[in-house]
Amino acid sequence: MSSLPIVPIAPPASTVPLPPQDATDRSPTAARPSRFPSARHARRVLCLLPLLLIGIWAADNWRVLHDGARQLTTADPGWLAIGGAFTLLCWISAAFARQGAIPERLPPGLLLASQFAAGAANNVLPAGLGAHAVTLRFLTGRGIPLTRATASLALYSLVKPVAKLLVILALLATFPTSLGATDLLPDGGTLLPIGVGVVAAVVAVTLLLTLVRPLRRPLLDGLRTALTDARRLHTRPARVLALWGGAAGFSLCQAAVLASVGASLGLPIPWPDVLFAYLAASAAVGAVPAPAGIGPVDAALVFTLAALGAPLSLAAATVVGFRVLTVWLPLLPGALVLSLLVRNKVL
């Protein structure tokens, strides 16, 4: 009996040894580890940048900080505590307004922390750019598309001054005999340049859309998204209350901080007049591109309080105390929260 030939059997494919991987492999998996160190370094820089900017700002304004702290040593601590409570309510109101400007539900704790951090960023960059940048990064980090997040910022920026105007009208209707308040309303000579500026802005945007074709598509898409979200939000009563109530509450709480500081220093002006003074001054010069309105708003506040009968030195001390509570005391904690949110990749 003859033996059968032995045929070698190839090993299974899983046991075939793989050739060594070339060191020059440029696949995404191999390249990914090389990117991590630079990303970590960039994040560390972003974490420290708010603290560096705050330090530079504080060194440049050290004299103002010192004078304001000295003025507050003679103030009534009870009223200052009330002013601090209203300052906290400002951030809560801002968080409500931000939630009301977006259809999706946002995590309340992180939203409030982001607005606290946005307050610190807003004191560094002019025209509210710092707060908008922090909020935009927070929204996109929650999975909201960039166009819809930008539309939310636009809606918030539009509602905020309108709500402030409604609060001013409500104060005038509630306290029609308020001391000298009606004398501070803008006359025709003041309203004319404002109207001309609004018309010029509308004409400029129209010309930009007409002449610059590459910008037409994204701008129109953003406008369409903003209008769609605005209509959708205003069919939900909870969002309407959060948006408009938060925007109005923010302005009222800021004015209440000023009134509380004035009461702690013995400012001889009734609360309705102080509230009106803040709302009128911030509405008149709030559009000036200065960090948190510091500078033009302060000068307008001092002038308005003096026009209502306060001594000039006391009006200046009240405004300095107002800035201590709303800007300088929360500045370092806000920067720390901002750095913490960046470090934890919330922003």
Side-chain angles (χ1 to χ4, degrees), residues 42-101:
R43 187 165 292 277
R44 288 172 184 171
V45 171
L46 289 176
C47 291
L48 295 176
L49 184 59
L51 300 178
L52 177 62
L53 293 175
I54 295 305
I56 295 174
W57 184 90
D60 187 54
N61 295 272
W62 176 251
R63 175 54 57 185
V64 180
L65 287 169
H66 179 268
D67 292 344
R70 187 175 60 183
Q71 288 282 352
L72 289 179
T73 57
T74 62
D76 184 351
W79 278 111
L80 290 182
I82 294 175
F86 278 117
T87 302
L88 177 61
L89 289 176
C90 289
W91 299 315
I92 296 176
S93 299
F96 269 102
R98 296 291 189 182
Q99 175 62 87

Side-chain angles (χ1 to χ4, degrees), residues 306-317:
L308 291 174
L312 188 59
S313 59
L314 189 55

Side-chain angles (χ1 to χ4, degrees), residues 14 31 39 46 52 57 67 70 72 95 104 114 125 168 178 180 201 223 239 247 262 264 294 313 326 346:
S14 58
L46 289 176
L52 177 62
W57 184 90
D67 292 344
R70 187 175 60 183
L72 289 179
E104 289 81 359
S114 72
L125 298 178
I168 291 175
S178 185
L223 180 61
R239 290 292 187 268
S264 71
I294 297 175
S313 59
T326 58
V346 178

Side-chain angles (χ1 to χ4, degrees), residues 21 23-41 345:
Q21 194 170 8
T24 60
D25 183 22
R26 299 301 179 186
S27 65
T29 304
R32 194 177 300 158
S34 64
R35 297 194 190 106
F36 285 165
S38 60
R40 285 196 298 266
H41 292 323
K345 300 181 181 181

Side-chain angles (χ1 to χ4, degrees), residues 177-274:
T177 59
S178 185
L179 296 176
T182 54
D183 296 336
L184 298 174
L185 293 175
D187 54 12
T190 305
L191 292 176
L192 180 61
I194 297 176
V196 171
V198 172
V199 173
V202 173
V203 172
V205 172
T206 304
L207 291 177
L208 190 66
L209 291 175
T210 304
L211 301 178
V212 186
R213 289 182 177 271
L215 292 178
R216 186 183 306 173
R217 178 75 175 272
L219 287 178
L220 290 179
D221 289 345
L223 180 61
R224 190 178 301 111
T225 301
L227 292 176
T228 301
D229 278 1
R231 287 196 299 267
R232 180 183 174 188
L233 288 168
H234 283 80
T235 60
R236 303 170 63 178
R239 290 292 187 268
V240 173
L241 181 61
L243 176 61
W244 289 94
F250 179 83
S251 297
L252 270 176
C253 288
Q254 287 255 301
V257 174
L258 181 68
S260 299
V261 174
S264 71
L265 295 172
L267 189 72
I269 300 177
W271 263 59
D273 283 1
V274 179

